[in-house]
Amino acid sequence: MTTLSRAETEALIAEVLEVYPEKARKDRAKHLTANDPGIEQSKKCITSNRKSLPGVMTIRGCAYAGSKGVVWGPIKDMIHISHGPVGCGQYSRAGRRNYYVGTTGVDAFGTMNFTSDFQEKDIVFGGDKKLAKLLDEVEQLFPLHRGISVQSECPIGLIGDDIESVSKKGAAAIGKPIVPVRCEGFRGVSQSLGHHIANDAIRDWVLDKRDGSPDTSTPYDVAIIGDYNIGGDAWATRILLEEMGLRVVAQWSGDGTLAEMMNTPKVKLNLLHCYRSMNYISRHMEEKYGIPWMEYNFFGPTKIVESLRRIAAFFDDQVKEKTEAVIARYQPMMDAIVARYKPRLQGKKVMLYVGGLRPRHVIGAYEDLGMEVIGTGYEFGHNDDYDRTTKEMGDATLIYDDATGFELEEFVKKLKPDLVGSGIKEKYIFQKMGIPLRQMHSWDYSGPYHGYDGFAIFARDMDIALSSPVWGKLVPPWKKTVAEEEVKEAA
Amino acid sequence: MANIMIRQADGGGLTFYLPKRDLEAPISSIEFDTPEKWGGELKLDNGGAYYIDPIARPPRLPVSLRARRLGAAED
């Protein structure tokens, strides 16, 4: 498939939109565009963070998913109670592969599911008593936990339970923080508002708890913000930062602890990886504590080198020297990987449709392998995400916001990419169409993908997906034409 | 009235941020920007305009303020 011109891309969008009723077509047209890297304000060409159309298949989550699944869930030494019916917690349990160090059930609780299991009578009479009892039980059964967060599911907001007062009473009784989070699933249009609510809960209930305690920080303290340690991502990041001579005092929130979060206001720089889910708390810390924050990108050697130098620029010459040494040490390893995989992957086209930071951050990594991203889009991005994306993408490439199942399928059919990077729900559709798919939400059970170590795995995974012999076996032998047989025999 | 945050942009100038709507936009002009008086009407480069009560001296940035939207909602 050759690259489309602007007119062709626009024609493709119009063609795909044709099946919708008029009102829906008008609405969806605002969410699809041909990229123009020149413009500063993405809102001129794309609308985002709007309610999904009723009746179409969206792959968005809810506010509870954003709070419990993304921001709070990975904090390993806290118990996160899914307060409400059992399903929300159970079906989202441990799916994101946020790795952590610790003994599950003793001092770490990341993959466990705690729920208040609401029944009819709890809806009718209120669930506050049940929550209070649950808090007691948790303290008895898991005495080594460092705190509890109460993640509300939809019914809590609907019936108006006062989880704040129960939490306050419980916290006083057990002497540990209990954080009520009002992240009912019906709030907002996607998980994005859940991120915001979770950030605000951290701000109100956690962040200032150690203000005024003795300052034992060094001038090289940094915090990794918005890295959820999917498949070990945060560890691959941390190694590089420590080799630069920095001291990573907190990981938000992959493999993170409550104490790390409370200590974060003393760091010198906040390093923000996932802008979408944690820019709120970074902005707050900048205002209240004067901690600068910067976005960085640890996907692919080009972006890593760029990011390492930008991080080093915040510190003294000693750090800068070490940074150059780090870059020099890993460069031969990266060159070897590129030399090995680039000839196999050169010129392959990729379409992405994920959430958070990946639709723009992984573009550099694909380009390092000689691959080209011909379409990208966010499930729940906002205008500020698209502002940052348009510059990364080529001219007239396709950009789609909150793409529906139908649109994505049609785009893939027409553009015929060599690889699709999307979620598990898309995986089997596209693989049946004969297009390899890497599940880019949690790295398809692989990872880490961050940092230099991650790039080695990333390159290998992309090669595995694309070079698998299975893609040549999609046509059953009895349907093969004679011509194809002859080609095979000749070869 | 809406809570907004004004911060120093990386490349100089000021950035306007409206948390409620995750709206981030560079400020193209500010009515009063002198050591004695700071604030007034903010013009954003996306076409929107907001008003903040002028204060006696330029604040330490970033700063959260209450702002009033002038004109219709943009976007």
Side-chain angles (χ1 to χ4, degrees), chain A residues 25-39:
Chain A
R25 180 162 61 230
K26 218 174 127 195
D27 184 278
R28 285 304 306 160
K30 294 180 201 152
H31 295 263
L32 308 170
T33 189
N35 186 35
D36 179 359
I39 59 170

Side-chain angles (χ1 to χ4, degrees), chain A residues 220-356:
Chain A
Y220 303 107
D221 283 11
V222 295
I224 300 174
I225 309 267
D227 193 326
Y228 301 104
N229 206 25
I230 295 168
D233 277 342
W235 296 330
T237 302
R238 192 182 176 117
I239 290 171
L240 293 181
L241 297 174
E242 284 177 352
E243 283 178 359
M244 281 168 71
L246 303 176
R247 191 171 82 143
V248 179
V249 297
Q251 282 173 219
W252 291 54
S253 52
D255 195 29
T257 62
L258 187 64
E260 285 177 26
M261 297 182 113
M262 288 176 175
N263 278 329
T264 306
K266 300 199 173 65
V267 300
K268 300 297 175 292
L269 177 65
N270 277 327
L271 298 170
L272 181 59
H273 205 248
C274 181
Y275 170 85
R276 181 70 277 130
S277 61
M278 283 210 177
N279 76 79
Y280 317 102
I281 199 77
S282 309
R283 287 176 197 275
H284 171 72
M285 281 194 265
E286 185 182 32
E287 184 179 5
K288 187 167 178 193
Y289 302 102
I291 305 167
W293 54 277
M294 64 161 279
E295 293 168 60
Y296 69 106
N297 179 353
F298 268 8
F299 287 102
T302 312
K303 293 287 174 188
I304 296 174
V305 169
E306 225 171 77
S307 298
L308 288 177
R309 293 207 170 113
R310 275 180 44 231
I311 294 168
F314 280 88
F315 297 94
D316 57 20
D317 289 343
Q318 195 193 336
V319 173
K320 282 177 194 149
E321 273 165 36
K322 276 190 186 163
T323 305
E324 291 306 321
V326 170
I327 295 170
R329 184 156 69 247
Y330 283 100
Q331 200 54 48
M333 181 181 142
M334 290 301 109
D335 292 342
I337 290 164
V338 171
R340 181 166 173 200
Y341 291 108
K342 199 167 178 180
R344 297 166 69 93
L345 301 172
Q346 182 89 43
K348 301 280 188 199
K349 309 257 192 279
V350 188
M351 272 176 77
L352 297 169
Y353 179 51
V354 251

